[in-house]
Amino acid sequence: MITLLTRSSLGGSSATSCSFAKKWIGNVFERRLIEAYIAENGRDPVTDEDLSTDDLIELKTSRIVQPRPPTLTSIPSLLSVFQKEWDALALETHALRQQLIQTRQELGTALYQHDAAARVIARLSLERDEARKALSRVSVHGGPAVTGEAMQVDSTGLSRDLVAKIGATQEQLSKTRRKRGVPDGWVTSDALNSFTPIEKSKVLYDGSRSFAMNTRGDCALLGGKDGRVGIYSMSEKAIVLEMNVGHGSVTDALWIGDRVAASTSTGHVRIWENGTEVADFLGHAGEVTALALHPSGDILASVGVDKSYIFYDLTTRSIAVQVLTDSALTTAGFHPDGHLFAAGGVDSQIKVYDVKSATNAANFDSTGPIAGMSFSENGTWLATAANGSTIVSIWDLRKAAVLHRIDISSPISVVQWEYSGQFLAIGGPGGLVVQQYSKTSKAWSEPLRIAVPAVALQWGTSAGALFCLDTEGCLTTLTTKAINGV
């Protein structure tokens, strides 16, 4: 009978391949070990008789399960292993707790520094706002000055490049102004007499206070109290591009070529190009009430309730100068030649300033806070209307006196000259009136009076149309029946 052993007689290790001697049955060896022994000694390790590898017979056995290491075969050894594992786990937990405590300390320090920084920012913002409010309450006492220095918030003034540009623009535009005639194809009195509403949009923006038409007359720019500014396509009859001013409502908007600008009740003046914001100015301590564009197209002006007006250099996209006046301002406009800037105030004055030097050139007294103001293209007249008044005053800038008064018998919100200087459009909640001045007869006439409310208005191309914004935020187009195709 052959007996197989779990351990070989040589080496004492577990046998994976067993052989036995065919002459001496019963001796079982591990093949690797017996072959090595035979190669060295040539004998049987048990009987010490001659033996070769040819005398060996290989045994085929099933796989033997490896026994558990002796260190885990008893309860004390298991307890020892468990103790070591527990100690390692305890040390790891201790290290994690130390890291947690350190992280909490770093987080607490960061939060404290953030809170301190937020408090400093809030305090500085409060001090800035208080300083602006204090500055806006500064009043200049004394009678209205015909000439004199205006108080500049910054002392640098306009740059040399801007001053040169203003002078060049004035020289270029003033040369031909007096000799310029009425352009060909311009609207006539008879055509104005037949103006009728041909189209009225839906409510575009609730609370709209102003709008602007582009030079082609096919797109209107307007915004509302919800802080949105939109471009309305007259042909598509829909908003084709919309921008957001952030907090506050839109108080005014205008075109700068293909760019658009809008002012807000929070003091911001923002500029967009192709729907992307390219500039954001915050120079006013409070609501910006009106915007105006210089004839050169490179200077933007804004006025506000903080009693100041600001000129922005559109080339460098920076604030060029800020000038403090003696009253909160409501309206703004540049002279057609660009050398004068006028601002209407709540103190019932129209304040006229020299653009280059910021000196107060003249003050015109009205009957109330100024609601509307417009320079005539003849370069010598300025039309103004007080809030709630039914009368438009035509001022002669050369004489600093009222040349003519027009009573339309209803409250006035806006006045607007057209390019030829013949027609003055006057709008209000009660309707629209167009007055005409004839150079030949030196007399005034009224070619149009229509019950179309207008809190803001714009002339179309060649004055062949009038666009009116009503109190509900709807845009109405008026033109002749011939243009309308009826």
Side-chain angles (χ1 to χ4, degrees):
M1 181 177 179
I2 298 175
T3 302
L4 298 180
L5 304 177
T6 58
R7 289 183 178 273
S8 67
S9 301
L10 294 175
S13 61
S14 299
T16 58
S17 180
C18 299
S19 300
F20 71 92
K22 64 182 179 179
K23 293 181 180 181
W24 299 277
I25 300 174
N27 297 326
V28 181
F29 308 97
E30 183 179 353
R31 180 171 185 152
R32 177 179 57 83
L33 297 178
I34 190 63
E35 288 180 348
Y37 188 85
I38 291 172
E40 182 180 353
N41 300 301
R43 293 179 176 279
D44 187 306
V46 178
T47 62
D48 199 28
E49 296 183 4
D50 293 338
L51 184 67
S52 67
T53 56
D54 295 334
D55 296 327
L56 300 177
I57 299 176
E58 184 176 0
L59 297 179
K60 302 296 184 180
T61 62
S62 60
R63 182 176 179 84
I64 300 174
V65 178
Q66 297 291 334
R68 180 176 294 177
T71 55
L72 301 176
T73 56
S74 63
I75 292 178
S77 62
L78 290 173
L79 291 176
S80 176
V81 171
F82 292 156
Q83 182 65 47
K84 290 179 181 179
E85 291 292 336
W86 172 259
D87 293 343
L89 183 61
L91 290 174
E92 183 180 3
T93 303
H94 177 68
L96 290 175
R97 286 185 176 179
Q98 284 185 325
Q99 293 178 3
L100 176 61
I101 292 172
Q102 183 179 359
T103 302
R104 283 180 173 175
Q105 290 176 345
E106 293 175 354
L107 179 60
T109 302
L111 290 175
Y112 175 79
Q113 292 175 346
H114 178 272
D115 182 67
R119 290 175 182 272
V120 171
I121 292 173
R123 179 175 56 83
L124 292 176
S125 299
L126 181 61
E127 291 177 356
R128 179 203 63 188
D129 294 341
E130 290 177 350
R132 284 181 171 176
K133 289 180 180 179
L135 186 62
S136 67
R137 289 192 294 267
V138 174
S139 297
V140 180
H141 300 285
V146 176
T147 59
E149 292 292 332
M151 178 179 175
Q152 293 189 10
V153 175
D154 55 359
S155 58
T156 56
L158 295 177
S159 65
R160 291 183 178 179
D161 291 340
L162 284 181
V163 171
K165 188 173 297 182
I166 293 167
T169 301
Q170 179 188 2
E171 182 179 0
Q172 177 184 359
L173 296 177
S174 61
K175 282 182 179 179
T176 58
R177 185 171 306 282
R178 305 291 293 180
K179 299 178 181 179
R180 188 176 67 197
V182 178
D184 294 336
W186 207 256
V187 70
T188 63
S189 177
D190 292 337
L192 273 171
N193 192 40
S194 63
F195 267 28
T196 184
I198 64 167
E199 183 181 338
K200 183 177 181 180
S201 73
K202 62 181 181 180
V203 176
L204 300 176
Y205 291 105
D206 185 28
S208 294
R209 294 161 53 175
S210 66
F211 78 103
M213 299 297 298
N214 63 355
T215 55
R216 298 182 299 273
D218 58 356
C219 288
L221 174 69
L222 67 168
K225 63 183 181 182
D226 59 355
R228 292 180 298 158
V229 181
I231 297 177
Y232 177 76
S233 172
M234 305 301 293
S235 59
E236 299 179 24
K237 299 178 177 58
I239 299 292
V240 294
L241 181 61
E242 194 170 65
M243 296 141 287
N244 200 310
V245 300
H247 299 292
S249 59
V250 179
T251 57
D252 200 2
L254 55 75
W255 292 89
I256 309 171
D258 291 330
R259 294 174 292 174
V260 298
S263 58
T264 72
S265 59
T266 58
H268 286 267
V269 175
R270 300 179 189 270
I271 300 175
W272 293 268
E273 186 171 0
N274 298 324
T276 302
E277 184 177 297
V278 296
D280 179 12
F281 305 105
L282 180 57
H284 289 282
E287 179 178 343
V288 181
T289 53
L291 297 174
L293 184 65
H294 190 266
S296 67
D298 293 329
I299 301 174
L300 177 68
S302 66
V303 297
V305 297
D306 61 351
K307 303 182 181 181
S308 73
Y309 69 84
I310 301 177
F311 290 162
Y312 307 91
D313 186 345
L314 299 179
T315 304
T316 61
R317 294 175 183 171
S318 61
I319 294 179
V321 69
Q322 184 171 12
V323 178
L324 186 68
T325 69
D326 58 355
S327 171
L329 304 176
T330 57
T331 59
F334 282 100
H335 187 276
D337 292 339
H339 64 297
L340 296 177
F341 174 74
V346 298
D347 60 351
S348 307
Q349 276 193 345
I350 302 98
K351 309 170 193 300
V352 182
Y353 295 90
D354 181 274
V355 174
K356 292 187 286 187
S357 64
T359 55
N360 186 204
N363 290 329
F364 304 144
D365 292 322
S366 184
T367 58
I370 308 304
M373 178 180 65
S374 177
F375 280 101
S376 171
E377 282 290 330
N378 64 16
T380 58
W381 291 357
L382 173 66
T384 64
N387 187 28
S389 174
T390 64
I391 298 174
V392 176
S393 299
I394 309 297
W395 295 85
D396 190 326
L397 299 177
R398 298 165 298 182
K399 301 177 182 178
V402 175
L403 179 70
H404 183 67
R405 285 187 172 90
I406 303 170
D407 191 348
I408 67 169
S409 303
S410 64
I412 299 170
S413 300
V414 58
V415 293
Q416 186 71 50
W417 290 97
E418 45 75 51
Y419 178 74
S420 71
Q422 301 178 86
F423 304 106
L424 174 65
I426 308 167
L432 173 69
V433 174
V434 175
Q435 290 278 321
Q436 179 184 11
Y437 177 75
S438 173
K439 294 182 180 179
T440 305
S441 62
K442 299 186 182 301
W444 289 85
S445 60
E446 187 178 289
L448 178 65
R449 179 181 288 263
I450 190 169
V452 175
V455 296
L457 59 86
Q458 289 275 304
W459 288 93
T461 305
S462 299
L466 270 170
F467 304 98
C468 302
L469 182 69
D470 63 21
T471 54
E472 296 178 352
C474 301
L475 198 61
T476 302
T477 304
L478 293 89
T479 188
T480 64
K481 293 181 178 179
I483 295 178
N484 190 23
V486 178

